[in-house]
Amino acid sequence: MKQKTWPYKSCSHQFTGLPFINKPNKKSTKDRQTRQLNFTSKSSSSSSSSFLSSSKCKEPDFSSLPYDVLARIASSFSLPNLQSASLVCRGWRDALRPLREAMLFLKWGKRFKHGRGGVKPNLKKALDSFLKGAARGSTMAMVDAGLIYWEMGKKEEGIAWYRKAAELGNPAGQCNLGISYLQADPSNAKEAIDWLYQASVAGSVRAQYQLALCWHQGRVLHQNLQEAARWYLRAAEGGYVRAMYNTSLCYASGQGLVQSHRLARKWMKKAADRGHSKAQFEHGLGLFSVSYQYIPFFHSKVL
């Protein structure tokens, strides 16, 4: 049987014989060396110049970003993120100055609202501080201003500030706007669901819970227990206590999720550990039972 000892031409490079080495002259060796030196110096200089030019081309010009675009992007930034962004270049530092000032007004607004930092609670001063921060472009200040207006009974003003924050991409503003439409303006129920969905996708656990309630109760949306359970679970994994309790009920009843008493116990305990009163009661009852199985009934009135 014949075996291949060397690969064919199609498989690898062709082997060639080496020429005999003649003893070179001194002149020819010197000429060759000078030619090699010239070639290497030229190639190194050309490669370094090409590298520099390519690096210059790839280097982005941050200062060319329009101020209004930058302010819109950074409107939801926290103070540490604003401080980091202000160090990028001089243009960004100047453009983000109003938002840095807004953070100070936001801080004082929270102090006046909750009576922190040696300051007495003063809702009027808190609102004034939030409005000053909102005027400088902070979406967080817009949400807080809208919340105070809502608590004062001025729902239209509150919704207006929620909308401004929502349109700038703030998840809390989107969530509050959706809930406000559901409570105060049922005619905008479909728009409310759209805002809740945007906030849910952005990671707002409160919006995820509210969206789950809409699917579960059949408000605006057709009742869908699987979608409700999916959003309950996402909100529970994000740390929302009420969603933990409802997720436990979903696992216990097997509606919307595959029935699992182990997972039902897990989420009921988590909700109880975080202070949910009903979860504490049901978890306590479960500790006395041998099987520790919750009643497989999906509550029509969820929290």
Side-chain angles (χ1 to χ4, degrees), residues 51-82:
F51 173 77
L52 288 172
S53 62
S54 63
S55 63
K56 284 179 182 178
C57 293
K58 289 180 181 178
E59 190 175 303
D61 186 10
F62 294 109
S63 60
S64 63
L65 192 66
Y67 280 15
D68 57 339
V69 175
L70 178 60
R72 186 181 179 88
I73 293 171
S75 60
S76 298
F77 281 11
S78 61
L79 183 58
N81 291 336
L82 276 175

Side-chain angles (χ1 to χ4, degrees), residues 115 240 287 294:
Y240 202 75
L287 292 174
Y294 299 111

Side-chain angles (χ1 to χ4, degrees), residues 216-289:
H216 181 204
Q217 297 172 347
R219 295 176 63 188
V220 186
L221 302 166
H222 294 292
Q223 189 179 37
N224 189 328
L225 295 181
Q226 288 184 343
E227 279 295 312
R230 184 170 73 91
W231 286 109
Y232 280 143
L233 182 59
R234 284 189 65 174
E237 290 171 345
Y240 202 75
V241 180
R242 291 182 178 181
M244 293 177 186
Y245 178 76
N246 288 356
T247 300
S248 175
L249 297 179
C250 290
Y251 275 120
S253 64
Q255 296 189 32
L257 293 171
V258 178
Q259 189 173 27
S260 171
H261 295 296
R262 181 182 64 83
L263 292 175
R265 291 193 297 270
K266 169 190 168 183
W267 286 111
M268 190 66 73
K269 184 179 183 302
K270 283 191 173 186
D273 290 341
R274 285 160 178 78
H276 194 284
S277 57
K278 278 195 173 183
Q280 290 171 343
F281 178 74
E282 294 194 28
H283 181 62
L285 286 178
L287 292 174
F288 285 98
S289 66

Side-chain angles (χ1 to χ4, degrees), residues 3 10 13 18 56-57 78 88 125 158 197 207 252 261 273 287:
Q3 293 182 350
S10 60
H13 298 291
L18 298 174
K56 284 179 182 178
C57 293
S78 61
V88 172
K125 288 185 177 180
Y197 183 77
H261 295 296
D273 290 341
L287 292 174

Side-chain angles (χ1 to χ4, degrees), residues 112-265:
F112 283 123
K113 183 179 179 181
H114 303 290
R116 298 171 183 167
V119 178
K120 292 182 179 180
N122 191 322
L123 205 60
K124 187 177 179 181
K125 288 185 177 180
L127 179 59
D128 184 59
S129 297
F130 289 143
L131 290 175
K132 288 178 180 178
R136 285 163 173 79
S138 171
T139 56
M140 290 181 283
M142 295 175 192
V143 172
D144 283 328
L147 185 58
I148 289 183
Y149 274 125
W150 186 270
E151 291 172 352
M152 292 169 61
K154 299 179 179 180
K155 295 184 178 181
E156 291 183 1
E157 287 88 341
I159 289 175
W161 282 111
Y162 288 154
R163 175 171 281 280
K164 284 186 178 181
E167 289 173 349
L168 287 170
N170 186 281
Q174 293 168 348
C175 177
N176 287 5
L177 182 62
I179 295 172
S180 300
Y181 279 150
L182 288 176
Q183 293 180 359
D185 192 3
S187 62
N188 282 331
K190 289 186 177 179
E191 188 178 356
I193 296 298
D194 291 339
W195 286 116
L196 285 176
Y197 183 77
Q198 288 186 44
S200 300
V201 172
S204 171
V205 291
R206 185 167 173 244
Q208 291 167 357
Y209 176 74
Q210 293 295 329
L211 188 62
L213 285 179
C214 291
W215 281 113
H216 181 204
Q217 297 172 347
R219 295 176 63 188
V220 186
L221 302 166
H222 294 292
Q223 189 179 37
N224 189 328
L225 295 181
Q226 288 184 343
E227 279 295 312
R230 184 170 73 91
W231 286 109
Y232 280 143
L233 182 59
R234 284 189 65 174
E237 290 171 345
Y240 202 75
V241 180
R242 291 182 178 181
M244 293 177 186
Y245 178 76
N246 288 356
T247 300
S248 175
L249 297 179
C250 290
Y251 275 120
S253 64
Q255 296 189 32
L257 293 171
V258 178
Q259 189 173 27
S260 171
H261 295 296
R262 181 182 64 83
L263 292 175
R265 291 193 297 270

